[in-house]
């Protein structure tokens, strides 16, 4: 697993103020949630060796965890959990179960399988406020961390930004640790995104303004790079981002920490403006 304080190469590349600003695990802001649609054990191990310190939440998306052999799933959850990463099944798994069974069965089974968290959502169904609160309390009773999701998967049934924000605040009051803002795995047509995947910054601002200081508890599903860039530009490098392709974890962290054009250029401009870097000044000859 990667070291907690990074390598000399990392310290050389990332400016000191950015290193100090970037939150470290266990993070209370700036989490990265990976979306896993079926990685095998060796793929999980390889990813963890490369990037475990940049991953905070690991979602086994929709109902994929129900389709794996139990011994494989158990080993997988143990491997990921040993890296200090929350593991949880996607919200669709919760919804598929709750329409037929009591939430106690779901929470007990999830805990027994080795998950450390659950996602409670209404992407495809509707729950009464009392039932939603009861599901949160049921998860907490089973020693599971609660991640809720606000929003709908149907493009024709989208809640307003005000409704999303109000539900997020209510969930946090009821005991949720994190609230995911729906964006689907495609990042297109729902939540903050239009049919082309363009982000509606006015809607984002409405949600942020309404939730206030709780904005750090939001995880914006943002699978596309342009979406990630805009959210980092608005909230800073410690914005919570989710539905990240496992193959793009390091690319996202590079975007957060100024190792890509989109975020390096503002850093270089700031350093030049403060005199910390003069592009015209020749460096001294270290050999002299």
């Amino acid at each position: 697993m990667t070291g907690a304080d990074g390598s000399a190469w990392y310290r050389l590349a990332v400016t000191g103020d950015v290193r100090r600003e970037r939150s470290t695990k266990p993070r209370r802001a700036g989490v990265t949630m990976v979306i896993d649609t079926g990685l095998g054990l060796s793929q999980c191990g390889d990813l963890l060796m490369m990037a475990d310190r940049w991953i905070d939440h690991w979602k086994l998306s929709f109902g994929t965890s129900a389709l794996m052999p139990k011994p494989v799933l158990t080993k997988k959850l143990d491997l990921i959990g040993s890296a200090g990463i929350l593991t949880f099944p996607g919200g669709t798994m919760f919804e598929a179960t709750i329409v037929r069974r009591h939430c106690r069965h779901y929470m007990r089974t999830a805990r027994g399988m080795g998950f450390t968290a659950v996602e409670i959502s209404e992407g495809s169904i509707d729950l009464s406020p009392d039932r939603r609160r009861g599901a949160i309390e049921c998860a907490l009773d089973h020693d599971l961390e609660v991640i809720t999701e606000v929003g709908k998967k149907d493009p024709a049934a989208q809640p307003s930004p005000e409704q999303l924000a109000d539900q997020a605040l209510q969930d946090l009051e009821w005991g949720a640790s994190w609230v995911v803002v729906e964006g689907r795995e495609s990042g297109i047509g729902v939540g903050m995104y239009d049919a082309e995947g363009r982000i509606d910054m006015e809607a984002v601002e409405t949600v942020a303004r309404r939730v206030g200081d709780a904005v750090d508890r939001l995880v914006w599903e943002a699978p596309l790079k342009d979406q990630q860039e805009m959210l980092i530009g608005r909230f800073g490098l410690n914005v919570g981002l989710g539905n990240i392709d496992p193959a793009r974890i390091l690319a996202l962290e590079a975007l957060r920490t100024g190792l890509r054009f989109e975020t390096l250029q503002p850093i270089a401009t700031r350093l030049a403006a403060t005199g910390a870097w003069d592009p015209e000044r020749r460096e001294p000859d270290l050999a002299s």
Side-chain angles (χ1 to χ4, degrees), residues 60 64-79 81 87-89 93 105-118 142 144:
L60 280 73
T64 53
S65 59
L67 306 176
M68 300 177 195
K70 182 180 177 181
V72 174
L73 177 59
T74 300
K75 289 179 182 177
K76 183 171 180 173
L77 294 177
D78 183 61
L79 177 65
T87 56
F88 59 100
M93 186 71 180
H105 297 291
Y106 180 77
M107 304 305 173
R108 186 185 308 122
T109 305
R111 188 65 187 170
M113 295 298 288
F115 287 103
T116 52
V118 289
H142 286 80
L144 289 161

Side-chain angles (χ1 to χ4, degrees), residues 168-182:
L169 288 171
Q170 186 65 86
D171 289 348
L172 292 169
E173 183 181 328
W174 285 338
S177 296
W178 305 93
V179 178
V180 175
V181 182
E182 175 71 72

Side-chain angles (χ1 to χ4, degrees), residues 37-265:
T37 59
L39 291 180
L41 289 175
S42 342
Q43 293 171 298
C44 284
D46 288 345
L47 179 59
L48 291 170
M49 282 191 292
M50 290 288 290
D52 67 319
R53 68 187 178 121
W54 308 124
I55 304 171
D56 306 277
H57 298 174
W58 193 298
K59 176 171 70 174
L60 280 73
S61 57
F62 20 96
T64 53
S65 59
L67 306 176
M68 300 177 195
K70 182 180 177 181
V72 174
L73 177 59
T74 300
K75 289 179 182 177
K76 183 171 180 173
L77 294 177
D78 183 61
L79 177 65
I80 300 166
S82 68
I85 298 169
L86 279 180
T87 56
F88 59 100
T92 303
M93 186 71 180
F94 164 76
E95 295 175 34
T97 304
I98 205 71
V99 297
R100 296 178 292 107
R101 303 290 295 275
H102 194 284
C103 69
R104 282 196 303 271
H105 297 291
Y106 180 77
M107 304 305 173
R108 186 185 308 122
T109 305
R111 188 65 187 170
M113 295 298 288
F115 287 103
T116 52
V118 289
E119 181 180 78
I120 294 170
S121 67
E122 299 176 51
S124 305
I125 64 172
D126 293 313
L127 296 175
S128 68
D130 186 63
R131 192 93 190 271
R132 187 177 178 102
R133 180 177 186 172
I136 292 173
E137 292 174 346
C138 186
L140 295 173
D141 288 344
H142 286 80
D143 198 26
L144 289 161
E145 193 153 347
V146 176
I147 299 165
T148 63
E149 183 178 68
V150 293
K152 293 290 186 181
K153 298 187 183 301
D154 184 351
Q158 293 302 295
S160 69
E162 292 84 359
Q163 290 172 316
L164 293 177
D166 290 348
Q167 184 64 71
L169 288 171
Q170 186 65 86
D171 289 348
L172 292 169
E173 183 181 328
W174 285 338
S177 296
W178 305 93
V179 178
V180 175
V181 182
E182 175 71 72
R184 302 214 67 184
E185 64 275 12
S186 65
I188 294 173
V190 301
M192 304 293 106
Y193 312 117
D194 67 13
E196 303 299 323
R198 292 184 293 261
I199 190 166
D200 182 348
M201 289 306 295
E202 184 177 344
V204 169
E205 292 296 346
T206 298
V207 172
R209 183 170 59 252
R210 206 166 179 100
V211 301
D213 292 342
V215 71
D216 284 347
R217 315 307 295 165
L218 300 184
V219 181
W220 307 84
E221 290 188 340
L224 305 181
K225 195 266 283 184
D226 288 349
Q227 298 166 355
Q228 298 159 13
E229 178 190 342
M230 292 193 73
L231 289 166
I232 291 170
R234 167 57 182 86
F235 297 106
L237 76 168
N238 286 318
V239 60
L241 297 173
N243 278 9
I244 308 303
D245 185 326
R248 304 296 297 172
I249 291 295
L250 292 181
L252 171 58
E253 194 60 32
L255 191 64
R256 288 187 189 272
T257 53
L259 296 179
R260 296 180 71 172
F261 161 76
E262 296 82 359
T263 45
L264 174 58
Q265 188 179 56

Side-chain angles (χ1 to χ4, degrees), residues 5-24:
D5 58 356
S7 66
W9 193 236
Y10 174 78
R11 294 193 298 274
L12 181 68
V14 179
T15 60
D17 57 338
V18 171
R19 292 201 308 272
R20 288 187 291 272
E21 184 183 347
R22 183 65 177 117
S23 58
T24 56

